[in-house]
Amino acid sequence: FEEPTSSVAAQILATVSILFVIVSMVVLCASTLPEWRAAENRSVEEQSRYTADSVREPSGIIEAICIGWFTAECIVRFIVSKNKCEFVKRPLNIIDLLAITPYYISVLMTVFTGENSQLQRAGVTLRVLRMMRIFWVIKLARHFIGLQTLGLTLKRCYREMVMLLVFICVAMAIFSALSQLLENGLDLGTKNKDFASIPAACWWVIISMTTVGYGDMCPITIPGRILGGICVVSGIVLLALPITFIYHSFVQCYHELKFRSARYSRSLSAEFLN
């Protein structure tokens, strides 16, 4: 359960777990389609003997099966772990708990309040809890080196990531204030309503610094366009400074995890030959 490449049985369990994750993600995405919801409503009317809406729907049945597998997997891994405290502190295990717990909470809330309850806060809470199923996709990190490398890189480079965020926040504060002043604050006869406030200008700054450039808002004055060019160039420079450190750490983490995976693969090959 803990190392998918450690044995043939572990690979089989990993494959089954991946299938459950894929099925749960497909059902989660499909359940937001209007056609899917209409079909579920018809199914609910035909099968009114169930009490909880989250269980009587077809998607709820599939969700319950997936949750049952994930819960059993988490319990087994907890039982066989040598250090229970260390097990609880691991990031992937915390994510597993965050992905599983909302289901049981939503079922209890549905049973006690009902989907048609006038308590709209409870209804919103149910929708939020159900949407937290998207965290199940992070379970794939246990089976793919790429996602493990990404997580380990973020863990080791949190200082560089914080530095990158500080750079962006400082630049956003400066350029958003200047753009709001040039586009809307000065009485030049031309006011750009998109830059009516500094928070609104922050959106333009972040998409300009990251060179995304949606085009939904842009400066129309000549000083504003000059500032926009400076903002884009500054964004390229500021984002490039910490990227080098993060890249080298990513390569190092990838080689480390690749070496560990190769070691388990060798033991798997020896077991298969025996």
Side-chain angles (χ1 to χ4, degrees):
F1 279 95
E2 197 68 35
E3 295 292 343
T5 59
S6 59
S7 64
V8 177
Q11 287 191 347
I12 295 175
L13 287 173
T15 303
V16 174
S17 181
I18 291 174
L19 290 176
F20 272 105
V21 172
I22 294 175
V23 170
S24 62
M25 290 298 99
V26 170
V27 172
L28 174 62
C29 296
S31 62
T32 59
L33 296 173
E35 296 82 2
W36 180 282
R37 300 300 303 175
E40 281 189 340
N41 291 334
R42 290 194 297 269
S43 177
V44 167
E45 293 177 358
E46 295 174 358
Q47 301 177 359
S48 58
R49 61 180 179 274
Y50 294 97
T51 56
D53 289 344
S54 61
V55 178
R56 69 188 181 187
E57 299 173 354
S59 61
I61 297 175
I62 301 176
E63 178 186 359
I65 296 174
C66 294
I67 279 289
W69 170 265
F70 296 147
T71 304
E73 181 182 2
C74 188
I75 292 174
V76 171
R77 291 176 51 249
F78 178 77
I79 293 175
V80 301
S81 62
K82 297 180 180 179
N83 192 336
K84 300 297 188 293
C85 295
E86 185 65 23
F87 177 86
V88 175
K89 294 179 181 179
R90 292 179 183 176
L92 287 178
N93 298 332
I94 295 176
I95 293 173
D96 288 343
L97 292 176
L98 292 176
I100 294 173
T101 305
Y103 173 80
Y104 297 103
I105 297 177
S106 63
V107 169
L108 292 176
M109 291 185 64
T110 304
V111 171
F112 289 109
T113 63
E115 286 286 348
N116 297 323
S117 174
Q118 296 181 354
L119 299 176
Q120 295 184 0
R121 291 185 179 181
V124 173
T125 304
L126 284 174
R127 290 191 292 269
V128 172
L129 291 174
R130 289 181 180 178
M131 195 53 61
M132 288 183 67
R133 289 179 292 176
I134 197 65
F135 287 111
W136 292 349
V137 75
I138 305 180
K139 290 174 66 65
L140 296 175
R142 197 180 304 279
H143 311 293
F144 294 100
I145 295 180
L147 294 176
Q148 295 177 14
T149 304
L150 178 61
L152 186 58
T153 302
L154 294 177
K155 180 180 179 181
R156 293 184 178 180
C157 297
Y158 71 93
R159 291 187 179 90
E160 288 77 8
M161 297 298 296
V162 171
M163 180 172 59
L164 179 62
L165 292 177
V166 170
F167 288 167
I168 294 177
C169 291
V170 171
M172 283 179 59
I174 295 175
F175 286 112
S176 61
L178 292 178
S179 62
Q180 193 275 337
L181 176 65
L182 295 176
E183 292 293 312
N184 196 282
L186 299 177
D187 189 11
L188 300 178
T190 303
K191 286 192 175 183
N192 193 341
K193 296 181 180 179
D194 292 334
F195 294 82
S197 63
I198 292 179
C202 285
W203 169 250
W204 170 79
V205 173
I206 190 64
I207 63 176
S208 298
M209 291 183 63
T210 55
T211 65
V212 176
Y214 288 124
D216 54 345
M217 56 187 299
C218 59
I220 58 177
T221 63
I222 295 179
R225 292 178 178 177
I226 295 175
L227 179 67
I230 298 174
C231 177
V232 172
V233 175
S234 301
I236 296 174
V237 174
L238 292 177
L239 292 175
L241 291 177
I243 292 298
T244 305
F245 301 99
I246 299 175
Y247 168 75
H248 288 297
S249 178
F250 181 86
V251 173
Q252 183 180 3
C253 295
Y254 177 77
H255 288 304
E256 290 180 6
L257 294 175
K258 195 74 174 178
F259 175 78
R260 190 180 70 175
S261 178
R263 184 180 60 186
Y264 281 115
S265 298
R266 286 194 295 268
S267 63
L268 174 62
S269 300
E271 178 185 347
F272 182 76
L273 293 176
N274 292 332

